[in-house]
Structures are given as C-alpha cells and as structure tokens.
Amino acid sequence: MRRARPLQNLRPARTIRFHERPIPPRPPQQQPTPPHKRPGRSLAVVAALALGSSLVSLLYHKDQPSQFIEHENQQVMSKQEEQPHVVFVLGGPGAGKGTQCARLVKDHGFVHLSAGDLLRQEQQRPGSKAGALIKSCIAEGQIVPQEITIGLLKTAIEERRAAGASLFLVDGFPRKMDQAHTFEEQVVPCEMVLFLDCPEDVMRERLLERGKTSGRADDNAAAITKRFRTFVETSMPVVEYYEQHGKVEAVTCDRGVDEVYADVEAALRKHGLL
C-alpha cells in the first residue's frame, strides 16, 4: 500500500512574481519604560521634593527669618574658629620678642599673649593663691610650674577667641618640653615657632638698659645671668625639637628693628599666616 504524503507537501508552491519583495522580519517590540524609571519623571520628582523642602523651611521660619540667618552664620563662624592659629615666639631674654610682637599686633591684627606678663599680672592680682610662688620663681630666674602658666594662657586664648580673634602670638613660651607637650594636648598645636636669635652680650646690654626704667625684679645683673642659663638649658631643647619637625623660623636679631621685622613678616608669610 502506498503511504500518504504529509499534508504540507500537498500544498501547491506559491509563484513569486517579479514585482514582489521579500518582507523583512519585524523587529521585536520594545517594552515601554515604566513611569517610575523615566528620566524626566525622576528629575521632576526630585525637583518637587526639593521645592517642598524649601517651602516647609520658609514656612517654619517665616516669623523668625533674622534669627534663622543669625543661627546659620553662627554655625559657619564656629567652624571657622574651631582651631586658633598659635605662633610660639621664643628667644633669649632681651632678644626683642615684645618689640616684634607689638608691631605684628599693630600691622596684622595678631593677639599678643606674653607668658611673663600674664604671670606678673597674676602675681599682683588680689587673692591670688599662686602669687607668692610666681614672685619667687621670677626673682630667681626660674620657671613657674606649667599648670599655672598654661592655665593663664588657655583662659586668655579662650576669651579672645570668643571675641572673634584667631591669630595668636604666645611670647616667651614654652620654656620647657613638658610645657610644649601639655599646651598642645590641652589647648592647640602651634603653627610655627618664631625663634629670635640674638648674641648673649647684646641681650645683656639691652636688659641692663631696660632695667633702669622697667622696675622689673629680674632686670638686674644676677637675675639676668640665671635667666640666660635657664634659657640655654631648658628652652633651647624646645627650639631644637620643633626644628626637627620643620616648624622653626630663625631670625637674627642683633640688627635694626626694621630689618628684623621684615624677616619676621617673611617667616610668617612662608607659613601662610599673613
């Protein structure tokens, strides 16, 4: 028996005429982008949220606009004043620290804090518990205990910072390594050390001349000799320590005041403080 042909083979072949073209396959249909993924819609949503937040803020502060602005300004100022810029000004007795600091205060708005002056003021303050000890140390050319000196400096810096000051010259401090470490731990690290380098014979002559009118108990020949010895033994190691850390700028001070001052300004500019 003869097997039947498959049905598809029985269909007559279609004649393709000359004017017909093959029909290209239809490209797959792209799925529409969901509304939440459309770029334009996302931007619109973000803009709407931002606008809503601004309106809420304005409505919340509509009755107190000046207080709101003042609060924002205070926050900015507090961030700017978080860390004061402190320069240690070191040099032997009579090197000219006070003279140079006074000019920087006048010309560039620094706050000058003399450790010696603060101690003398505390010594004369009525009811001071440390007054007698400070007087004895100064008369002998010795170093006052660090907790007294650092406490006075910290209080002075905080008071001036509250008034908006940010640049400080700490004159005649630190005089020992333990003072340097404690100050940087409890107050703030120094930006640089300005070392006024002056020969001892020049400093001695200046101090003896100053002693004729200063009335200071340590401006006499005996105390001056002790002060020189104390500076070399205790303060020079501080200068050497900061020099190893690249923070010391030395200025020779056996010259005219203007020449020294020009070099002092250049040293501060080098560290971005002018």
Side-chain angles (χ1 to χ4, degrees):
M1 179 181 292
R2 201 173 186 181
R3 298 179 64 180
R5 288 185 179 182
L7 293 178
Q8 60 268 24
N9 292 336
L10 294 177
R11 294 173 183 172
R14 181 173 179 271
T15 303
I16 300 177
R17 296 181 174 83
F18 72 93
H19 61 273
E20 293 181 336
R21 299 285 188 275
I23 300 175
R26 185 176 181 180
Q29 186 174 1
Q30 294 183 351
Q31 295 296 327
T33 303
H36 66 281
K37 293 186 177 180
R38 294 176 187 172
R41 185 179 180 86
S42 299
L43 292 174
V45 170
V46 172
L49 290 173
L51 179 59
S53 177
S54 300
L55 290 174
V56 170
S57 178
L58 288 173
L59 289 173
Y60 183 76
H61 297 288
K62 66 178 181 178
D63 296 328
Q64 299 175 329
S66 60
Q67 291 88 337
F68 175 65
I69 295 172
E70 181 180 356
H71 175 67
E72 293 293 323
N73 291 339
Q74 287 176 349
Q75 287 184 328
V76 173
M77 289 177 64
S78 64
K79 290 181 180 179
Q80 292 174 345
E81 297 172 2
E82 283 178 359
Q83 182 162 307
H85 303 286
V86 172
V87 177
F88 290 151
V89 183
L90 295 176
K97 300 185 292 296
T99 300
Q100 296 300 321
C101 287
R103 295 192 65 170
L104 290 171
V105 169
K106 179 182 177 182
D107 296 343
H108 301 291
F110 279 85
V111 173
H112 176 210
L113 298 176
S114 167
D117 288 347
L118 291 174
L119 289 170
R120 280 183 284 274
Q121 292 169 10
E122 180 65 18
Q123 172 191 332
Q124 298 170 2
R125 185 175 64 84
S128 173
K129 296 180 180 180
L133 177 58
I134 294 172
K135 182 177 181 179
S136 174
C137 291
I138 291 178
E140 295 295 325
Q142 299 299 316
I143 295 175
V144 176
Q146 67 167 347
E147 58 269 17
I148 298 174
T149 308
I150 293 175
L152 294 173
L153 286 170
K154 184 177 182 180
T155 299
I157 289 174
E158 289 175 348
E159 289 175 352
R160 298 302 182 89
R161 283 182 67 195
S166 61
L167 296 172
F168 293 86
L169 301 169
V170 179
D171 166 9
F173 180 92
R175 298 186 59 191
K176 293 176 64 178
M177 279 307 307
D178 59 345
Q179 289 184 346
H181 292 316
T182 303
F183 182 91
E184 294 203 336
E185 290 172 0
Q186 297 184 3
V187 187
V188 66
C190 77
E191 295 280 338
M192 63 168 283
V193 175
L194 179 62
F195 176 48
L196 302 183
D197 190 10
C198 191
E200 188 172 313
D201 58 340
V202 175
M203 292 190 291
R204 185 186 304 277
E205 182 180 348
R206 291 175 179 175
L207 291 173
L208 291 173
E209 183 64 26
R210 186 177 71 181
K212 296 177 181 178
T213 57
S214 69
R216 288 178 48 168
D218 55 351
D219 278 349
N220 59 74
I224 289 170
T225 300
K226 293 178 181 179
R227 291 167 67 189
F228 285 157
R229 187 182 307 115
T230 299
F231 178 78
V232 171
E233 293 175 354
T234 62
S235 297
M236 282 307 298
V238 175
V239 177
E240 293 167 359
Y241 167 80
Y242 281 109
E243 188 172 20
Q244 293 173 359
H245 290 76
K247 288 190 173 185
V248 173
E249 294 295 332
V251 177
T252 304
C253 296
D254 57 345
R255 302 172 292 158
V257 174
D258 291 339
E259 293 179 87
V260 174
Y261 184 60
D263 287 349
V264 167
E265 287 185 308
L268 292 169
R269 287 194 188 95
K270 180 179 177 181
H271 289 260
L273 296 169
L274 287 186

